[in-house]
């Protein structure tokens, strides 16, 4: 046994006994073994259910308040939901409020992600997850309270988003969930656990949308919105308590005199980890993987922006047909992700990057078929072809977690989360502009653009796969002491 192997074995023995292990200037305390669960998927499921439940009814509430309070139209015109004859009047203002809310709840948390990731590497995943869940719960509690004020100006509802924005929002919950799963799994089970997250996301969207509509429709009260918001706030508070008391911490806490969140040191450590030279060209592979994953989010968000406009122009669909299609795609994508990861990784035994290359190729085919579809049946068929495309998400995250050591996982996921959060700000206006210029002559041009981007993604991930074949397992050699980022504790 080599000296390095003996040294690593001694460190593992020290940590398993709860004894301090000293890496130069770094001191790590392994917490004493505590009882708790490492199954965090129910937390994300309930979080998404609570969020979708309220987000479903927010647009109707804002349209109604804009009609009654801002435009001061008669009550007969301001039905709930508003009638089609006044919809054109209220939609511009409602769109501005929704855009402002999206910026508050997405941009600020995406910037905070570069702090949260490195901070959680040293201080644990649980603390800030509980803080984020509490902030989101407070946001929906504020929505409930404000909805009880009948003459409130609709722009005031933007204030309710501040607690979510300042506590990290959805970006922090996703980031810390992915980091936690990377901490508690090995390379054999990690991709499956990530795929369960995707299935939970789609299931919660379907259940939350249906439950929100039912509550607003059938609650026997004049204002049915505040019970929906208060229910979301209660669910988030409960899962925050569950996370604090029932979930086991996954990180060996690094004891330091300075554990502040808002310090530039976190940014410098993140940048250092991102540009650090790694074995087997792993640094270059990580950059390419993050770029390809960001491009996948870019395409998805852009297509979501224009799909309803496309099907209404091409197939004369109404909202009912579009909602049915959305439910169909969410079901097929959720099941396809779970089955696809099992099929590609377990049954066929493909490497992560080879599987991702094939998936982006199928994404390109799916986008091409959508662009060329001439009727509803062909459009459904194209969506079915793409049932497995979201398998790339868990596989990419699993591969990324294998290329970096445990003490850098939060930093790398923070970089990915930051770029992911920013991508819709670019994809939404770009896809909308392409559609506006082409919908009269070639409405499917936006899907051809996605087809091109998917082909680019396939080539990027193919480069990574070929590189891994050339260097072998060297790129996975992540065994090294943590960087000297913590001061000595006297």
């Amino acid at each position: 046994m080599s000296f390095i192997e003996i040294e690593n074995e001694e460190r593992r023995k020290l940590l398993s006994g709860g004894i301090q292990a000293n890496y130069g200037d770094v001191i790590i305390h392994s917490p004493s073994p505590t009882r708790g669960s490492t199954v965090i998927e129910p937390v994300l499921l309930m979080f998404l259910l609570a969020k979708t439940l309220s987000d479903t009814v927010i647009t109707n509430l804002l349209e109604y308040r804009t009609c009654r309070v801002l435009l001061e139209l008669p009550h007969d015109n301001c039905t709930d939901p508003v009638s089609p004859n006044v919809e054109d009047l209220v939609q511009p203002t409602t769109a501005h409020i929704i855009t402002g809310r999206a910026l508050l709840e997405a941009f600020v948390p995406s910037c905070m992600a570069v702090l949260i990731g490195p901070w959680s590497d040293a201080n644990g995943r649980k603390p800030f997850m509980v803080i984020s869940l509490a902030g989101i719960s407070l946001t929906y509690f504020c929505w409930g309270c404000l909805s009880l004020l009948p003459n409130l100006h609709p722009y005031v509802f933007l204030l309710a988003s501040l607690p979510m924005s300042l506590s990290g929002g959805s970006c922090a919950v996703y980031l810390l969930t992915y980091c936690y799963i990377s901490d508690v799994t090995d390379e054999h089970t990690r991709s499956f656990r990530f795929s369960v997250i995707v299935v939970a996301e789609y299931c919660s969207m379907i259940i939350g949308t249906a439950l929100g509509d039912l509550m607003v429709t059938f609650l026997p009260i004049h204002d049915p919105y505040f019970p929906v918001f208060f229910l979301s706030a209660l669910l988030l508070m409960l899962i925050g308590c569950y996370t604090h008391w029932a979930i086991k911490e996954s990180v060996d806490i690094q004891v330091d005199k300075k554990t502040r969140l808002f310090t530039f040191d976190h940014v410098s450590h993140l940048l250092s980890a991102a540009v650090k030279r790694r074995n087997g060209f792993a640094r270059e592979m990580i950059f390419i993987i993050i770029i390809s994953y960001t491009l996948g989010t870019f395409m998805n968000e852009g297509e979501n922006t224009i799909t309803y406009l496309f099907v209404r122009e091409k197939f004369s669909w109404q909202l009912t047909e579009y909602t049915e299609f959305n439910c169909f795609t969410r079901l097929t994508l959720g099941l396809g992700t779970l089955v696809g990861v099992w099929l590609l990784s377990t049954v066929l035994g493909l490497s992560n990057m080879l599987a991702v290359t094939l998936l982006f190729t199928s994404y390109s085919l799916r986008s091409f078929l959508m662009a060329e579809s001439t009727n509803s049946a062909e459009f459904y068929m194209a969506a079915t072809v793409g049932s497995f495309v979201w398998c790339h998400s868990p596989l990419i995250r699993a591969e990324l977690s294998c290329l970096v050591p445990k003490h850098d996982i939060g930093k790398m996921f923070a970089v990915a989360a930051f770029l992911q959060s920013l991508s819709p700000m670019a994809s939404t206006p770009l896809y909308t502009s392409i559609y506006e210029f082409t919908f009269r002559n070639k409405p499917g041009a936006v899907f051809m653009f996605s087809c091109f981007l998917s082909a680019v993604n396939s080539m990027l991930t193919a480069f990574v796969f070929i590189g891994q074949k050339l260097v072998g397992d060297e790129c996975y050699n992540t065994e090294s002491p943590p960087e000297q980022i913590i001061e000595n504790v006297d």
Side-chain angles (χ1 to χ4, degrees), residues 322-434:
Y322 178 69
T323 303
E324 292 173 353
F325 175 76
N326 253 349
C327 290
F328 171 79
T329 53
R330 285 171 179 172
L331 279 173
T332 55
L333 286 173
L335 293 174
T337 299
L338 194 62
V339 174
V341 169
W342 170 77
L343 179 65
L344 294 170
S345 299
T346 305
V347 178
L348 298 179
L350 302 181
S351 67
N352 287 336
M353 296 316 297
L354 176 58
V356 169
T357 301
L358 296 176
L359 290 168
F360 277 128
T361 303
S362 70
Y363 198 126
S364 185
L365 175 61
R366 164 232 183 227
S367 298
F368 177 79
L369 293 175
M370 282 185 166
E372 296 299 320
S373 58
T374 57
N375 54 58
S376 299
E378 292 181 1
F379 198 68
Y380 268 89
M381 183 62 67
T384 304
V385 169
S387 297
F388 292 150
V389 294
W390 271 102
C391 293
H392 80 266
S393 176
L395 293 174
I396 281 180
R397 290 189 180 276
E399 185 67 19
L400 189 61
S401 65
C402 292
L403 290 170
V404 295
K406 185 175 180 178
H407 57 270
D408 282 342
I409 286 177
K411 302 177 184 68
M412 293 299 98
F413 278 2
V415 173
F418 175 73
L419 294 176
Q420 260 191 294
S421 300
L422 294 182
S423 63
M425 300 180 191
S427 64
T428 297
L430 178 59
Y431 271 74
T432 302
S433 299
I434 293 174

Side-chain angles (χ1 to χ4, degrees), residues 41-104:
E41 288 84 350
V43 174
L44 191 66
L45 174 64
M46 295 304 295
F47 157 71
L48 290 169
L49 176 62
K51 190 174 186 303
T52 305
L53 181 66
S54 288
D55 289 354
T56 300
V57 303
I58 282 176
T59 300
N60 282 352
L61 172 63
L62 292 176
E63 286 185 343
Y64 176 73
R65 291 299 179 87
T66 300
C67 184
R68 289 289 294 151
V69 178
L70 195 61
L71 301 180
E72 299 181 343
L73 296 178
H75 181 72
D76 293 339
N77 290 328
C78 297
T79 57
D80 189 6
V82 296
S83 58
N85 58 326
V86 299
E87 197 168 5
D88 290 341
L89 298 175
V90 303
Q91 277 196 353
T93 301
T94 302
H96 290 158
I97 299 173
I98 292 174
T99 302
R101 175 182 176 240
L103 289 174
L104 277 173

Side-chain angles (χ1 to χ4, degrees), residues 11 48 202 241 293 394 409 454:
R11 287 169 178 167
L48 290 169
Y202 285 116
C241 294
Y293 191 52
I409 286 177
S454 298

Side-chain angles (χ1 to χ4, degrees), residues 150-168:
N151 296 318
L152 187 70
H153 196 286
Y155 276 98
V156 177
F157 283 101
L158 289 175
L159 296 176
S161 295
L162 291 178
M164 180 186 293
S165 178
L166 298 177
S167 62

Side-chain angles (χ1 to χ4, degrees), residues 144-417:
C145 293
L146 294 176
S147 68
L148 291 172
L149 305 176
N151 296 318
L152 187 70
H153 196 286
Y155 276 98
V156 177
F157 283 101
L158 289 175
L159 296 176
S161 295
L162 291 178
M164 180 186 293
S165 178
L166 298 177
S167 62
S170 303
C171 183
V173 176
Y174 273 109
L175 168 62
L176 295 171
T177 300
Y178 289 130
C179 290
Y180 187 92
I181 291 176
S182 297
D183 294 338
V184 300
T185 57
D186 56 28
E187 62 273 14
H188 302 295
T189 59
R190 192 168 296 153
S191 57
F192 177 78
R193 290 283 294 273
F194 282 143
S195 68
V196 172
I197 292 293
V198 177
V199 175
E201 182 176 357
Y202 285 116
C203 289
S204 62
M205 286 180 181
I206 296 171
I207 298 172
T209 301
L211 184 57
D213 288 338
L214 287 174
M215 290 182 68
V216 170
T217 303
F218 294 106
L219 280 177
I221 53 178
H222 176 68
D223 187 355
Y225 293 107
F226 74 88
V228 177
F229 295 129
F230 287 153
L231 177 58
S232 290
L234 177 62
L235 289 173
L236 288 163
M237 183 178 65
L238 290 176
I239 62 174
C241 294
Y242 171 81
T243 302
H244 180 70
W245 278 294
I247 297 295
K248 185 178 179 180
E249 180 56 69
S250 63
V251 172
D252 294 332
I253 306 300
Q254 296 180 3
V255 181
D256 177 29
K257 295 177 181 178
K258 298 179 180 179
T259 57
R260 292 177 300 170
L261 175 66
F262 296 103
T263 172
F264 186 75
D265 288 345
H266 292 316
V267 179
S268 64
H269 298 152
L270 183 146
L271 294 175
S272 175
V275 301
K276 180 172 63 178
R277 184 181 298 277
R278 300 181 185 275
N279 296 327
F281 301 100
R283 177 183 59 181
E284 291 75 13
M285 294 177 186
I286 290 169
F287 281 141
I288 295 175
I289 289 172
I290 291 177
I291 290 171
S292 66
Y293 191 52
T294 304
L295 270 179
T297 304
F298 181 91
M299 292 184 290
N300 182 61
E301 294 293 337
E303 288 180 359
N304 287 342
T305 304
I306 54 84
T307 299
Y308 180 55
L309 301 174
F310 172 81
V311 295
R312 199 167 59 175
E313 172 71 23
K314 193 79 177 281
F315 311 128
S316 300
W317 281 9
Q318 298 302 316
L319 184 59
T320 303
E321 289 88 351
Y322 178 69
T323 303
E324 292 173 353
F325 175 76
N326 253 349
C327 290
F328 171 79
T329 53
R330 285 171 179 172
L331 279 173
T332 55
L333 286 173
L335 293 174
T337 299
L338 194 62
V339 174
V341 169
W342 170 77
L343 179 65
L344 294 170
S345 299
T346 305
V347 178
L348 298 179
L350 302 181
S351 67
N352 287 336
M353 296 316 297
L354 176 58
V356 169
T357 301
L358 296 176
L359 290 168
F360 277 128
T361 303
S362 70
Y363 198 126
S364 185
L365 175 61
R366 164 232 183 227
S367 298
F368 177 79
L369 293 175
M370 282 185 166
E372 296 299 320
S373 58
T374 57
N375 54 58
S376 299
E378 292 181 1
F379 198 68
Y380 268 89
M381 183 62 67
T384 304
V385 169
S387 297
F388 292 150
V389 294
W390 271 102
C391 293
H392 80 266
S393 176
L395 293 174
I396 281 180
R397 290 189 180 276
E399 185 67 19
L400 189 61
S401 65
C402 292
L403 290 170
V404 295
K406 185 175 180 178
H407 57 270
D408 282 342
I409 286 177
K411 302 177 184 68
M412 293 299 98
F413 278 2
V415 173

